[in-house]
Amino acid sequence: MDLFDEIKTLTKKLVSIPSMNATSGERDIADAIEAYLRDIPYFKAHPELVITQDLKEDPMHRRNVMALLKGGDGTERDTIMLHGHIDTVDVDDFGRYKPYAFDCDKLAEVFRDAELPEDARRDLESGDYLFGRGACDMKGGDAVFLVLAKHLAEQAEKLHGNLLLSFNPVEETLHRGIIEELPLLRKLQEQHNLTFRLAINNDFICPMYAGDTTRYVYTGAVGKLLPMFYIIGRETHVAQCFEGFSPDLTAAELTRIIDRNPDFCDGYNGEYTLPPTVLKMQDLKPRYNVQTPHTAAVYFNYFVHNRQLTEIMAQLKDTARTALNNVIQAADERYRTYCEISGNRYSSLIEKTQVIDYRELYLRAKETCDGDLDAYIDSVTDASISAGDDMRITSLRIVQALSDLCGIKTPTVVVFFAMPFCPHNTLKKENADEARVISDLEKIASAFSAESGEVMKLQQFFPSLTDSSYLKIDDDDDSVAMLKNCFPGYEKLYPVPLETAKALNIPAVNYGVWGKDCHKWTERIYMPYSFGKLPDFIVKTIHYYFD
């Protein structure tokens, strides 16, 4: 069996294991990958170099699987990390074809009589695409790494460097696999005296527009924040509605200002993020009555390329002040108009408001609390977790509890961060070491393009969320400290070892299998490039660094 067929066969096998996020299938696929690695003669001779790591307190017993292929005489330092995730999104989108979502051959068969989009129909009939949940995102990429490792291990003594393979669960939601692996990565680095030259992810790449066949190489990862606003208004009877202050209107005004607003896009060197998008907005009134709501909350997806977290927090607080001012001005203007038509005497509704971040709220609560504030926060956190609250709601519960403790009555917006947090990173030409890596990648891609006929293009930021975010962090120390201080329940809810990630500082790039419609029922991988040419591109990169 040649390399192409070997990768294709393994991809089908991996797809056949339903490893949807938050199911025991994530453990099953880890078992299959571990078995594949342990069957390689090199690892039969060195079983200690296949390493597994159980996720902490995980009811599904999911785990990371790693393998260290040591080249030469075993004393080489230069190391390239090959990493990928092993979970997928669910298959509800397949509808009537759901029973075949994990069977590539059967899915292709039933799709022949399906009403497919025109582009998917052409790809199916070409025979060049493999359909199935996870085929492109990203079990095909995992299969490429595994088959290459098997063949490179046959001549490990001729390899003048090391390969560290890593396969992680829980990428599609919370990135727990790679996050919990970071201290182990650091330990392996010290134990085996490794110098990480590069980390290559094989997550999917796709067309950026109709007809695009460019093979993109991403030299970094977009960052993601989840900024949250807790709004304290003032309740009133609906018959005295102008005597209150509306947190709902404030949440709506924050959404009007922020949602899909290009002014909030973050750019670096000509590449820009998408603008923030509102993900949830609600008042916190538990049931119906004729009292107006007292509090509300809203949170946003916020992508980052280069902006420091301290700068973003300042921007968010300024936006909250603007929203509060706009709401007050609008309420006052409406009250003036109402007084004119009703004949009531007008008096200004303009009043004092405030915007604080979570750290400022915490310090105020510290002054108010008679007992151990941190223990109190832990009790609020534990109660929310026990109640099965969404973890963003748990952070909100903490903010609510501290606001109540402080007895805040002034209309207030508390700004804080909730999970998940994905750090941003990229290679920057202003940094001499990173500039050299960029130059290396340009040379490798150019040579491969000339030989293969593929159009290769380096881009700075992988546009989807990725585990590569956690291998290198571009945020400065002040930003890291600010994030922790403004993230309620950080240590219990999302204890990312950011200092460890900064210490590792591995240049994290994405090569990727090429395909279409990931996270859609027509997900498919383009085999001629993914199984035929991409493996050669990876091998050439390895030899460039090691020879």
Side-chain angles (χ1 to χ4, degrees):
M1 188 183 297
D2 63 18
L3 199 67
F4 181 101
D5 289 332
E6 197 172 345
I7 295 170
K8 180 180 178 180
T9 299
L10 183 56
T11 298
K12 287 183 180 181
K13 179 181 178 181
L14 295 179
V15 170
S16 73
I17 303 170
S19 59
M20 295 176 291
N21 187 264
T23 70
S24 60
E26 291 186 83
R27 171 61 189 251
D28 295 337
I29 196 167
D31 290 345
I33 287 173
E34 181 188 3
Y36 183 94
L37 288 166
R38 292 197 182 280
D39 196 47
I40 295 173
Y42 175 88
F43 292 115
K44 285 183 177 180
H46 304 282
E48 74 284 359
L49 295 181
V50 176
I51 306 114
T52 61
Q53 178 192 32
D54 293 339
L55 300 191
K56 298 173 184 175
E57 300 177 2
D58 185 59
M60 286 160 284
H61 306 289
R62 294 170 293 185
R63 56 188 182 142
N64 295 315
V65 180
M66 305 172 72
L68 179 60
L69 173 57
K70 304 186 81 169
D73 61 1
T75 62
E76 298 285 353
R77 297 189 59 179
D78 285 349
T79 303
I80 290 178
M81 181 178 178
L82 306 176
H83 73 106
H85 69 85
I86 54 179
D87 58 325
T88 72
V89 294
D90 63 33
V91 293
D92 289 342
D93 55 322
F94 278 77
R96 62 181 292 194
Y97 304 109
K98 186 175 177 179
Y100 316 112
F102 300 109
D103 186 333
C104 297
D105 292 332
K106 184 65 177 178
L107 193 63
E109 181 182 327
V110 298
F111 271 180
R112 297 200 180 280
D113 297 320
E115 293 185 15
L116 294 173
E118 183 179 341
D119 184 54
R121 169 65 60 190
R122 282 197 304 269
D123 291 344
L124 175 69
E125 293 176 353
S126 74
D128 288 335
Y129 286 82
L130 189 69
F131 286 71
R133 172 59 79 230
C136 192
D137 184 15
M138 60 163 284
K139 292 179 179 180
D142 294 329
V144 169
F145 282 157
L146 286 164
V147 172
L148 283 181
K150 173 185 173 183
H151 286 274
L152 289 168
E154 293 172 358
Q155 301 185 58
E157 70 282 354
K158 296 182 180 179
L159 199 64
H160 301 301
N162 313 304
L163 296 177
L164 178 64
L165 288 92
S166 171
F167 302 95
N168 309 107
V170 204
E171 189 267 358
E172 294 288 2
T173 51
L174 301 176
H175 306 277
R176 276 189 62 196
I178 193 69
I179 288 170
E180 293 194 21
E181 186 178 278
L182 290 176
L184 179 56
L185 268 178
R186 187 69 167 147
K187 180 180 177 181
L188 290 172
Q189 182 184 40
E190 295 171 352
Q191 179 183 347
H192 296 279
N193 202 23
L194 307 178
T195 300
F196 286 112
R197 301 294 300 278
L198 201 63
I200 302 176
N201 196 347
N202 234 3
D203 214 341
F204 75 95
I205 58 173
C206 59
M208 300 300 287
Y209 50 86
D212 182 22
T213 59
T214 305
R215 315 307 180 196
Y216 297 97
V217 175
Y218 295 98
T219 63
V222 64
K224 172 196 169 82
L225 293 169
L226 197 87
M228 199 163 186
F229 300 84
Y230 175 60
I231 305 145
I232 303 170
R234 184 169 55 251
E235 70 284 358
T236 187
H237 193 288
V238 292
Q240 291 87 41
C241 60
F242 286 109
E243 295 179 10
F245 184 92
S246 174
D248 293 59
L249 192 56
T250 308
E253 180 64 8
L254 281 164
T255 300
R256 187 194 68 80
I257 295 171
I258 297 173
D259 186 53
R260 288 172 284 188
N261 184 349
D263 290 346
F264 289 82
C265 292
D266 183 22
Y268 174 72
N269 198 25
E271 290 184 27
Y272 289 86
T273 64
L274 287 166
T277 307
V278 64
L279 294 178
K280 190 174 183 64
M281 179 176 68
Q282 64 178 141
D283 67 48
L284 303 174
K285 182 178 171 180
R287 64 189 64 86
Y288 169 82
N289 57 34
V290 292
Q291 183 188 59
T292 61
H294 173 52
T295 57
V298 58
Y299 61 76
F300 299 84
N301 184 86
Y302 191 118
F303 287 130
V304 187
H305 274 177
N306 193 54
R307 208 172 278 161
Q308 292 297 318
L309 295 177
T310 47
E311 180 185 354
I312 291 170
M313 174 57 85
Q315 176 198 42
L316 295 172
K317 290 172 75 172
D318 282 345
T319 302
R321 292 186 189 99
T322 299
L324 283 170
N325 184 63
N326 290 351
V327 168
I328 289 174
Q329 295 292 339
D332 185 65
E333 183 177 332
R334 290 172 181 179
Y335 182 54
R336 183 193 298 273
T337 301
Y338 174 74
C339 289
E340 289 174 357
I341 65 173
S342 65
N344 290 351
R345 180 180 296 175
Y346 163 79
S347 59
S348 175
L349 296 182
I350 303 298
E351 61 179 308
K352 180 181 178 182
T353 63
Q354 63 178 343
V355 174
I356 58 176
D357 60 42
Y358 177 71
R359 178 63 176 172
E360 293 168 315
L361 177 66
Y362 175 89
L363 293 175
R364 290 190 191 185
K366 194 89 170 171
E367 295 175 357
T368 307
C369 184
D370 293 332
D372 186 335
L373 181 61
D374 292 330
Y376 175 64
I377 292 172
D378 283 345
S379 70
V380 173
T381 305
D382 292 342
S384 181
I385 293 172
S386 297
D389 288 338
D390 178 272
M391 283 184 273
R392 282 137 292 273
I393 298 302
T394 299
S395 289
L396 177 61
R397 297 279 182 251
I398 296 169
V399 174
Q400 287 178 292
L402 267 58
S403 299
D404 291 344
L405 199 62
C406 292
I408 296 174
K409 297 300 181 184
T410 302
T412 300
V413 175
V414 183
V415 188
F416 60 99
F417 295 113
M419 65 189 300
F421 165 64
C422 301
H424 64 90
N425 65 61
T426 195
L427 300 174
K428 297 184 175 181
K429 291 185 177 180
E430 305 94 281
N431 180 300
D433 291 336
E434 294 178 9
R436 279 192 289 273
V437 178
I438 294 172
S439 177
D440 291 340
L441 292 172
E442 288 173 340
K443 291 175 185 176
I444 297 166
S446 178
F448 176 72
S449 179
E451 181 179 309
S452 66
E454 298 288 349
V455 177
M456 312 296 292
K457 184 178 181 180
L458 266 63
Q459 296 280 92
Q460 296 167 110
F461 299 96
F462 185 65
S464 302
L465 301 178
T466 167
D467 280 348
S468 299
S469 280
Y470 299 92
L471 298 178
K472 178 180 180 290
I473 295 180
D474 288 352
D475 289 301
D476 61 27
D477 292 341
D478 288 343
S479 288
V480 169
M482 189 278 297
L483 176 80
K484 289 185 172 183
N485 287 333
C486 290
F487 193 127
Y490 180 86
E491 293 300 333
K492 284 198 170 186
L493 297 177
Y494 207 59
V496 182
L498 298 173
E499 293 81 3
T500 301
K502 284 183 73 68
L504 283 166
N505 197 40
I506 306 173
V509 304
N510 191 89
Y511 279 13
V513 293
W514 199 89
K516 300 177 183 178
D517 291 356
C518 292
H519 293 204
K520 299 180 183 180
W521 65 285
T522 48
E523 175 182 351
R524 57 201 183 275
I525 186 171
Y526 180 61
M527 294 184 287
Y529 176 76
S530 302
F531 302 163
K533 295 184 178 181
L534 173 63
D536 188 44
F537 185 34
I538 295 170
V539 169
K540 288 185 184 305
T541 302
I542 291 170
H543 286 304
Y544 178 92
Y545 277 98
F546 290 169
D547 292 346

